[in-house]
Amino acid sequence: MNDQRRQGTRDPYAGPEASMSLKKPPESVIPGEGPQQPGRIRVTRDHDVIRRWAEQRGARPATMPGSEYNGHLGVLRFDFPGYGGAVLRAVGWDEWFATFDARRLTFRYQECRADGAPSNFNRLEQSHRDEL
């Protein structure tokens, strides 16, 4: 028996109590492959997938005003209709995707929530893997 079990402590990275995010890295789901599971988080770099996802929700490519640096876009965002968040500046898809690619970002998103309702969840993250 290892020391942790003898002392009554548990390894947070093992066993049935561990969070799924601790057991394995997030799964990349390729559109068109595998079942559509409500609540599943997907990761892609595919421009067509990203644009389709945004347009289905009425979202437009945008940036945060004042975040530009040396003539390049700063913070990338999507501007959703009726959202009362930060004031965003609209940009074109070509400029948005050029910045997305130059920074080697990935798009983490959700098609629908676990209850089946459409989801606007999305996050842009630095890519640390080449397989996406």
Side-chain angles (χ1 to χ4, degrees), residues 20 30 41 54 72 78 84-85 97 101 107 111 125 129 131:
M20 286 303 292
I30 300 170
I41 301 297
H72 299 285
F78 284 115
F97 280 126
D101 289 341
F107 182 66
E111 288 288 350
E125 297 179 338
R129 301 187 308 180
E131 68 268 14

Side-chain angles (χ1 to χ4, degrees), residues 15-127:
E17 301 85 15
S19 165
M20 286 303 292
S21 64
L22 296 175
K23 289 182 180 180
K24 62 181 183 177
E27 180 180 32
S28 298
V29 178
I30 300 170
E33 293 185 9
Q36 293 287 334
Q37 294 181 349
R40 173 173 271 174
I41 301 297
R42 297 170 178 263
V43 180
T44 189
R45 297 192 81 241
D46 185 303
H47 293 192
D48 293 333
V49 171
I50 296 167
R51 187 171 182 159
R52 175 198 51 81
W53 181 90
E55 288 177 345
Q56 285 177 343
R57 289 154 178 80
R60 308 294 302 157
T63 189
M64 293 289 295
S67 68
E68 297 86 356
Y69 181 75
N70 284 341
H72 299 285
L73 291 184
V75 178
L76 296 179
R77 293 281 190 260
F78 284 115
D79 189 5
F80 291 90
Y83 179 70
V87 176
L88 301 174
R89 180 175 68 83
V91 297
W93 280 111
D94 289 341
E95 186 178 16
W96 196 94
F97 280 126
T99 303
F100 177 86
D101 289 341
R103 293 187 188 153
R104 296 184 44 104
L105 297 175
T106 58
F107 182 66
R108 185 174 298 266
Y109 67 106
Q110 189 177 44
E111 288 288 350
C112 58
R113 299 185 312 221
D115 65 5
S119 174
N120 287 349
F121 170 80
N122 73 94
R123 181 179 300 157
L124 295 170
E125 297 179 338
Q126 199 69 40
S127 176

